[in-house]
Amino acid sequence: MPTGTLEAIWIKRAKRAPMDPVERAELQAGYGIVGNADWGGRRQVTITRRETWDEIAHKLGTSVDPTARRANLLVSGVPLADTRGLTLQIGACRIRIGGETTPCERMNEACPGLHQAMIPDWGGGAYGEVLDDAEIRIGDEVRWLRAAPEETV
């Protein structure tokens, strides 16, 4: 299976607040990124893919920054489409993908037509549940695990 790289990390301190870039982030199992506004629940971490973002920007004829997506993590080198239920490892942290992150209408505030352009093929990225307490850093290896390890009861 291909491996990739964690290219960027963003933390959203409050709803609708700017996405703050950071070099590293602490993740807490079952909750998400420490300090992020979206804490707990099903969408603990949102992930977008560099190659998909660049393709969408090219189609729209723009150079809109990936922060406009408002995802927490930007990865490259690994696919995200159709990965529901799979486990992605970023550095020492495993993230179980819950599904596709559907883009909202606010994407058009960043670039007209962006919302519609992101709809096909998981263009909005994926969301997941954090399985490990761990620190991740820009440059960490990203890879798919064949299956999540069995949980002990």
Side-chain angles (χ1 to χ4, degrees):
M1 297 189 103
T3 62
T5 303
L6 177 59
E7 292 199 14
I9 304 168
W10 296 287
I11 295 177
K12 180 173 52 175
R13 308 257 177 234
K15 301 282 186 201
R16 293 190 165 254
M19 302 299 287
D20 298 327
V22 296
E23 294 291 317
R24 63 173 191 77
E26 291 288 332
L27 281 71
Q28 186 174 345
Y31 292 97
I33 298 176
V34 174
N36 195 58
D38 299 320
W39 185 249
R42 293 180 334 129
R43 296 175 186 238
Q44 297 169 10
V45 176
T46 53
I47 308 163
T48 194
R49 182 174 180 254
R50 164 63 76 184
E51 294 86 349
T52 303
W53 183 260
D54 290 348
E55 182 180 311
I56 290 168
H58 179 75
K59 282 181 186 176
L60 293 174
T62 185
S63 60
V64 65
D65 191 270
T67 57
R69 175 60 199 104
R70 303 190 56 75
N72 298 117
L73 307 175
L74 177 67
V75 299
S76 63
V78 294
L80 292 178
D82 301 314
T83 57
R84 178 178 281 112
L86 298 181
T87 301
L88 185 66
Q89 181 152 0
I90 301 176
C93 188
R94 294 172 303 139
I95 300 170
R96 183 179 304 122
I97 301 301
E100 176 181 5
T101 305
T102 306
C104 69
E105 295 287 336
R106 289 194 64 209
M107 296 298 100
N108 288 337
E109 293 172 15
C111 174
L114 183 57
H115 172 257
Q116 193 64 33
M118 293 174 72
I119 292 174
D121 303 317
W122 288 48
Y127 68 88
E129 173 190 3
V130 175
L131 301 178
D132 303 297
D133 291 345
E135 180 181 271
I136 59 172
R137 294 179 174 276
I138 292 175
D140 277 352
E141 181 182 77
V142 177
R143 66 187 180 96
W144 288 105
L145 302 177
R146 291 210 178 269
E150 292 295 321
E151 294 185 20
T152 55
V153 178

